[in-house]
Amino acid sequence: MKNIGIFFIILGLSIFESCCSQRDVYINHKVLTTPLIGGAESKCITLNNSAIDSIVTRSSMELNTESPFTFIYLRSGKCIEKVGECIYHSKRPDSLFCILEPPCCAGNVYVYHWFKYYQQQDSLEQVSEVLVYTTTEIHKKDILWHTYPKQKEIPYMHLRSEPIINDTEEDEELRQIGNVIYEQYSENVLLYELGYNKKQPSWRICAIKNRDNNYYTIGWHNTRRK
């Protein structure tokens, strides 16, 4: 029954992809909060399109490793191995798919790797990443997610790992003083608001795109903090 539930989640996400932009797919809560299969189970996604035959995720328990591994079998016969679990895919050969790499070996970040198949090279290319710290806890029920990310411009940005202001105390999980994970001051800071904390509405969960690289960091922004 668990595998059937995951199948319908992925099917729904595939339909969702056709209705929004690539950026919205990267940072939409339906993708970010897709449940992992767990340590004991494995799964196989059969695509059988002109690019990829199947995507197989082997569990960490099956492989006796810290993390699950995903094997992408191309139509050409190639097999490409990636750390993590495939949590999002589409049947279309030109579409994106996402492999979530959970933290391991005392790591503190979930990394959502977004790949696309390129026919000329008969290979996969990573097109984006989304980073979520373990302390951000995006699966909490206190978060009310927007249907789609809301693009906004603000004059400053303090993105924090939790909806708590900490600028002086050591954060053991982040291995630093305070819990700021991204800051930027300029006339126009572009962010994508994903939702808010129901108990503390001034705290908004947001995604910020790195200015130099094609990846996003997700955290909390306090709209009342000046």
Side-chain angles (χ1 to χ4, degrees), residues 129 131 182 184 190 192 207-217:
E129 281 186 353
L131 311 179
Y182 186 96
Q184 182 180 340
L190 181 64
Y192 303 97
I208 190 82
K209 186 176 182 181
N210 187 278
R211 289 169 290 182
D212 302 318
N213 299 291
N214 191 26
Y215 72 83
Y216 298 82
T217 301

Side-chain angles (χ1 to χ4, degrees), residues 20-193:
C20 60
S21 68
Q22 280 191 2
R23 181 205 67 225
D24 290 345
V25 175
Y26 296 155
I27 57 178
N28 190 275
H29 70 280
K30 294 180 181 179
V31 177
L32 295 173
T33 58
T34 298
L36 294 172
I37 58 175
E41 299 183 46
S42 296
K43 66 180 179 183
C44 177
I45 301 165
T46 302
L47 298 182
N48 198 26
N49 58 35
S50 60
I52 299 173
D53 273 333
S54 61
I55 302 174
V56 179
T57 296
R58 303 293 184 191
S59 69
S60 56
M61 184 174 292
E62 179 183 355
L63 298 174
N64 195 26
T65 55
E66 290 281 344
S67 299
F69 279 76
T70 293
F71 303 86
I72 303 97
Y73 295 92
L74 305 184
R75 291 284 290 173
S76 64
K78 288 183 181 179
C79 176
I80 300 175
E81 178 182 324
K82 300 291 182 182
V83 179
E85 177 183 337
C86 182
I87 62 167
Y88 177 93
H89 75 281
S90 171
K91 288 287 187 181
R92 302 201 308 270
D94 60 341
S95 294
L96 299 162
F97 64 94
C98 180
I99 294 178
L100 171 55
E101 180 181 353
C104 74
C105 309
N108 62 356
V109 179
Y110 288 91
V111 185
Y112 296 73
H113 299 279
W114 286 90
F115 294 97
K116 190 172 183 178
Y117 173 78
Y118 283 89
Q119 186 174 9
Q120 289 183 341
Q121 291 82 20
D122 187 35
S123 64
L124 304 177
E125 181 174 324
Q126 181 166 291
V127 294
S128 186
E129 281 186 353
V130 180
L131 311 179
V132 182
Y133 285 90
T134 52
T135 51
T136 303
E137 296 185 356
I138 57 176
H139 291 87
K140 275 192 171 182
K141 294 181 179 180
D142 291 344
I143 301 175
L144 185 62
W145 298 92
H146 300 320
T147 303
Y148 297 104
K150 296 182 178 181
Q151 183 173 314
K152 296 185 176 184
E153 288 188 353
I154 59 174
Y156 72 96
M157 162 57 68
H158 263 171
L159 202 64
R160 298 178 183 271
S161 64
E162 300 174 88
I164 298 170
I165 294 174
N166 173 19
D167 293 322
T168 58
E169 297 180 5
E170 183 178 358
D171 189 308
E172 294 182 0
E173 191 76 13
L174 297 178
R175 307 178 186 96
Q176 65 179 39
I177 300 298
N179 65 348
V180 173
I181 55 176
Y182 186 96
E183 60 183 330
Q184 182 180 340
Y185 293 88
S186 67
E187 294 182 358
N188 297 297
V189 179
L190 181 64
L191 64 82
Y192 303 97
E193 185 180 302

